Amino acid sequence: MLISVPVGTRSIKEYEHIVDEGIIEKIRQLGKDMEGVRILNISSTAFGGGVAEMLYTLIPLMRDVGLNADWQIIPGSEDFFTVTKLFHNALQGMDLIITPEMTSTYLKQNENNADLFDGVYDVVMVHDPQPASILSFIDEKGKKTGKWIWRCHIDLTTARPSVWNFLEPYLKQYDAAVFTMPQYIKNDFWVDKIAIISPTIDPLSSKNIGINQEMINSILERYHIDVNRPILTQVSRFDPWKDPLGVIDAYRIAKEKFPEVQLLMVASMATDDPEGFHYYEKTSRHADGDADIHLLSNLEGVGNLEVNAFQRASQVIIQKSTREGFGLVVSEALWKERPVIGGDVGGIPLQIINGKNGFLVSGSEQCGKKIVQLLENPEMAREMGRFGKEHVRKNFLSPRQLADYMELFNYLYQSN
Ligand code: UDP
């Protein structure tokens, strides 16, 4: 067996007072139509990053509305995850000369994982490139049942042909594919069904649920952060695409005008991202001993509740990505009524309406200036925060994504 991930429970009823009624009704109807349908999700990690974050909510909700849903992760050697991170980087536009050793490491692991795969499913959704070629081996071994979906969470707009051309034949074996934005679909990519579904956040998770000021203060105190001075926060894996060095440069610009300002850079070290530690050190060197820059991670006990508190304690949230499939953290921050300054890339413009709930920027200098503007205008920042929360409520909360997935599952199940 692949590795089964235990998830908690959730009830769709709890979302009734948060999202629009029509979405809940649609989910309930689809649940009735698909009672007992067997769904499996396969991904590469149960910890760190947006995919895991979403599955911890979506799997229990699928179960709650009648589906027989499961989530399994693939095992992988360190070499394998190093190769898949290189692939990930190349798919987001970084140069890579792909070697036979890399492809062999990637395919061998997927073949081994296909040996571990068992069970009969109606719909299987495979997330991202790490486990993508597993289907080809499962099919070869005569173990394929039901319809298979490849769910791509990354920004493919500038994918390097070397890696894309290598992966594409494996991806074309799927019955369906899901992308976050239409511009991520390559011109010559073709499977029977393509859906565009954007990610969502869970308003009831410990990361997003309302918490009181007392709790926020006590968490910040634990990390020696001064609640009485302005706080800027970026919550992101330490990864070149999240531009942690650029965030520090923008903070330094703001610091000239607001010497009191503090910067929190919060990261979780994902098990499928070996680059994280290297980038952490690089960021730490760039911070150059500045006592007002706090580099925090799960290694210091930062979990969901802490991220929640840091976001709520911030005057401004930054997400200065240079590539971003979607960027769940943007919606997480908007939900907390905070203005967000984000890179004008990938899925970020779906979430930030420039000038309404934050600003879209393309460089550190522009980012620094926008931080200053927001710190100088707290009333504008508050107004943006209010707008941001409603934008997320309408578009980026879990029930909407659940409904979209169930619609796709139903379409594929009916065409079985
Ligand atoms: N995250 C976290 N702690 C951290 C860093 C990130 O819990 O220290 C979470 C973050 O809150 C979000 C997810 O990891 O839910 C990151 O998703 P996103 O789509 O922003 O980026 P990805 O890591 O998938 O590229």
Side-chain angles (χ1 to χ4, degrees):
M1 265 243 314
L2 296 173
I3 307 156
S4 227
V5 184
V7 293
T9 55
R10 283 273 192 286
S11 159
I12 195 69
K13 197 167 175 29
E14 291 163 19
Y15 296 79
E16 278 174 351
H17 66 287
I18 308 175
V19 301
D20 296 336
E21 211 177 299
I23 294 184
I24 305 282
E25 271 168 28
K26 186 171 167 186
I27 291 169
R28 289 225 163 93
Q29 187 53 50
L30 284 162
K32 274 191 200 135
D33 297 346
M34 281 193 286
E35 180 80 45
V37 168
R38 293 156 301 185
I39 310 283
L40 175 66
N41 283 264
I42 299 177
S43 76
S44 64
T45 179
F47 182 71
V51 178
E53 180 77 21
M54 288 185 286
L55 290 177
Y56 277 112
T57 293
L58 292 173
I59 302 295
L61 281 179
M62 286 176 194
R63 289 179 183 166
D64 180 58
V65 298
L67 302 185
N68 184 354
D70 253 311
W71 171 22
Q72 293 173 5
I73 55 168
I74 52 161
S77 63
E78 204 180 325
D79 282 352
F80 171 75
F81 285 125
T82 303
V83 167
T84 57
K85 186 67 204 284
L86 288 169
F87 283 7
H88 174 98
N89 286 344
L91 289 170
Q92 298 214 127
M94 199 179 269
D95 276 334
L96 176 71
I97 295 167
I98 185 166
T99 65
E101 267 158 292
M102 289 179 195
T103 55
S104 136
T105 303
Y106 173 73
L107 293 175
K108 195 94 215 96
Q109 182 78 59
N110 269 284
E111 186 172 7
N112 292 343
N113 293 345
D115 286 331
L116 297 176
F117 176 86
D118 64 15
V120 175
Y121 298 96
D122 298 303
V123 181
V124 181
M125 182 148 66
V126 175
H127 296 261
D128 278 342
Q130 298 93 327
S133 69
I134 197 171
L135 171 59
S136 141
F137 298 109
I138 285 172
D139 207 8
E140 227 172 73
K141 293 170 201 289
K143 297 203 277 186
K144 181 185 177 208
T145 55
K147 295 288 166 103
W148 284 60
I149 305 167
W150 183 56
R151 200 319 174 199
C152 175
H153 294 272
I154 56 188
D155 178 347
L156 293 176
T157 37
T158 56
R160 293 283 155 178
S162 57
V163 175
W164 177 253
N165 293 342
F166 163 69
L167 286 174
E168 196 183 18
Y170 298 101
L171 306 176
K172 281 185 167 165
Q173 297 180 21
Y174 282 80
D175 302 291
V178 178
F179 296 90
T180 296
M181 297 178 80
Q183 51 268 50
Y184 295 171
I185 308 167
K186 299 274 134 202
N187 287 337
D188 54 352
F189 182 70
W190 192 87
V191 290
D192 280 349
K193 170 88 183 157
I194 294 185
I196 303 297
I197 299 176
S198 57
T200 49
I201 62 161
D202 183 352
L204 301 178
S205 73
S206 53
K207 181 171 289 170
N208 297 316
I209 198 119
I211 49 175
N212 61 33
Q213 194 60 43
E214 204 180 320
M215 183 175 276
I216 296 174
N217 291 353
S218 84
I219 289 174
L220 267 76
E221 212 169 280
R222 240 196 298 136
Y223 289 91
H224 311 293
I225 300 156
D226 187 346
V227 276
N228 299 312
R229 289 158 55 198
I231 297 172
L232 315 173
T233 298
Q234 172 158 306
V235 177
S236 272
R237 288 178 294 109
F238 284 113
D239 169 304
W241 308 105
K242 313 284 187 186
D243 196 16
L245 308 187
V247 173
I248 293 180
D249 294 340
Y251 148 86
R252 289 198 168 122
I253 293 170
K255 186 117 179 136
E256 282 171 24
K257 194 88 190 255
F258 290 90
E260 296 275 85
V261 78
Q262 308 165 87
L263 174 65
L264 313 191
M265 301 188 73
V266 186
S268 66
M269 303 294 181
T271 51
D272 65 343
D273 184 2
E275 218 179 14
F277 291 96
H278 166 69
Y279 236 75
Y280 174 88
E281 280 165 18
K282 225 171 150 166
T283 309
S284 169
R285 277 198 298 278
H286 201 65
D288 197 24
D290 182 336
D292 284 336
I293 301 180
H294 299 263
L295 301 188
L296 301 166
S297 79
N298 51 311
L299 305 179
E300 281 97 33
V302 176
N304 288 341
L305 196 60
E306 287 75 14
V307 169
N308 191 342
F310 295 151
Q311 288 170 328
R312 286 183 195 278
S314 303
Q315 273 63 36
V316 179
I317 304 278
I318 304 167
Q319 190 55 42
K320 228 201 100 0
S321 308
T322 53
R323 289 275 185 288
E324 191 64 77
F326 180 69
L328 280 181
V329 277
V330 173
S331 279
E332 287 166 4
L334 292 171
W335 180 246
K336 291 160 192 129
E337 301 192 40
R338 294 295 173 269
V340 183
I341 304 176
D344 190 4
V345 292
I348 295 180
L350 291 174
Q351 303 170 77
I352 299 181
I353 315 295
N354 196 29
K356 287 277 193 192
N357 56 5
F359 294 107
L360 292 167
V361 296
S362 47
S364 298
E365 204 181 315
Q366 199 187 3
C367 182
K369 283 186 183 152
K370 291 299 176 193
I371 297 171
V372 170
Q373 191 180 341
L374 286 168
L375 291 179
E376 279 173 340
N377 295 285
E379 189 40 53
M380 178 178 80
R382 262 193 297 279
E383 185 51 40
M384 284 185 161
R386 280 192 285 272
F387 182 92
K389 182 167 189 181
E390 181 58 11
H391 184 56
V392 171
R393 192 191 71 77
K394 281 204 193 107
N395 299 290
F396 303 117
L397 296 184
S398 314
R400 198 271 298 141
Q401 190 177 204
L402 177 65
D404 289 350
Y405 277 155
M406 287 177 74
E407 211 164 30
L408 176 64
F409 297 162
N410 196 34
Y411 169 87
L412 293 170
Y413 179 63
Q414 300 298 342
S415 61
N416 249 333

